[in-house]
């Protein structure tokens, strides 16, 4: 398994190997011991999957507050996304910084986003399927969001704002300044 720490070292890009032959391929996409060795050592309790029919669908920037804060291991099984993690941990040396990575069915990479980060993505292809493992169960009362194109964050999204396809909820999400003290940095 290839392991790469991104510019925010707590966010990890992992790429499991695929073993192919004339029938197709096999890949072990999750193994607790290998992930623990890579620095992803929280147990997963929920799996989610989304399908976005259009190119340009933006989902995020989302998180859940403690005690339901979620770490996420995100992968794409069809299509491609630009996946983004924003450090929302007050006191962190990378607070308010973001990292992004392209995840696709072709490159087979997965992105680990720890608790305390906002998460969002934009689809780069039609009919994109995203699957992710979560370290905490969904809790509606703990759900929070920040507007995807927040000028405070300066995220370099690979699409024009006019082309973004958003949910009604994501259209009215607050700015990052309102996320202050959602999470604390503990290192």
């Amino acid at each position: 398994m290839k392991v790469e720490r991104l510019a925010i070292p707590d966010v990890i890009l992992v790429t499991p190997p695929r073993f192919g032959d004339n029938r197709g391929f096999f890949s072990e996409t999750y193994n607790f011991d290998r992930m623990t060795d890579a620095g992803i050592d929280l147990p997963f309790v929920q799996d989610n999957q989304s399908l976005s029919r259009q190119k340009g669908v933006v989902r995020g920037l989302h998180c859940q507050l403690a005690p339901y804060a979620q770490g996420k291991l995100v992968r794409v099984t069809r299509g491609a996304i630009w996946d983004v993690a924003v450090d929302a941990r007050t006191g962190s040396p990378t607070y308010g910084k973001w990292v992004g990575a392209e995840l696709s069915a072709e490159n087979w990479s997965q992105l680990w986003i720890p608790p305390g980060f906002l998460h969002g993505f934009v689809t780069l292809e039609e009919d994109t399927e995203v699957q992710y493992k979560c370290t905490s169960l969904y809790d509606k009362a703990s759900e929070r969001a920040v507007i995807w194109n927040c000028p405070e964050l300066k995220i370099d999204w690979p699409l024009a704002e006019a082309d973004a396809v958003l949910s009604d909820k994501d259209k009215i999400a607050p700015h990052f300044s309102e996320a202050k003290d959602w999470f604390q940095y503990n290192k």
Side-chain angles (χ1 to χ4, degrees):
M1 179 171 62
K2 181 180 172 187
V3 177
E4 178 185 352
R5 291 195 177 269
L6 299 184
I8 300 174
D10 293 335
V11 181
I12 304 169
L13 188 68
V14 296
T15 307
R18 284 196 283 201
F19 305 97
D21 61 22
N22 63 333
R23 299 169 297 160
F25 73 86
F26 171 83
S27 180
E28 186 179 79
T29 60
Y30 177 78
N31 175 299
F32 180 80
D33 291 340
R34 287 193 180 100
M35 291 295 181
T36 298
D37 290 345
I40 303 167
D41 58 0
L42 295 174
F44 295 104
V45 298
Q46 180 175 314
D47 282 3
N48 297 330
Q49 182 170 346
S50 70
L51 168 65
S52 298
R53 294 270 182 221
Q54 299 169 276
K55 180 179 176 179
V57 169
V58 176
R59 296 181 187 264
L61 301 162
H62 300 147
C63 69
Q64 287 190 174
L65 302 181
Y68 297 99
Q70 293 179 321
K72 296 176 182 175
L73 183 63
V74 183
R75 68 190 188 106
V76 172
T77 54
R78 181 169 50 162
I81 63 172
W82 176 249
D83 205 22
V84 173
V86 178
D87 190 346
R89 302 169 299 170
T90 301
S92 166
T94 55
Y95 177 77
K97 304 291 185 205
W98 64 273
V99 291
E102 183 173 327
L103 306 180
S104 69
E106 186 175 323
N107 71 21
W108 210 238
S109 293
Q110 301 179 41
L111 192 63
W112 164 245
I113 302 158
F117 282 72
L118 302 172
H119 172 245
F121 64 83
V122 60
T123 57
L124 303 175
E125 298 178 11
E126 293 180 354
D127 294 321
T128 292
E129 288 190 31
V130 177
Q131 297 183 15
Y132 53 100
K133 304 178 98 41
C134 299
T135 62
S136 186
L137 298 174
Y138 172 74
D139 180 73
K140 186 168 181 55
S142 301
E143 184 179 42
R144 298 293 184 276
V146 168
I147 192 81
W148 72 282
N149 59 350
C150 180
E152 299 164 55
L153 298 174
K154 299 181 179 128
I155 297 172
D156 188 17
W157 293 98
L159 84 159
E161 288 189 26
D163 295 334
V165 180
L166 300 161
S167 70
D168 290 341
K169 179 176 67 172
D170 286 344
K171 287 178 186 175
I172 60 168
H175 284 237
F176 185 68
S177 57
E178 294 188 36
K180 188 171 169 58
D181 298 325
W182 283 357
F183 304 99
Q184 296 298 315
Y185 181 68
N186 296 317
K187 285 225 176 172

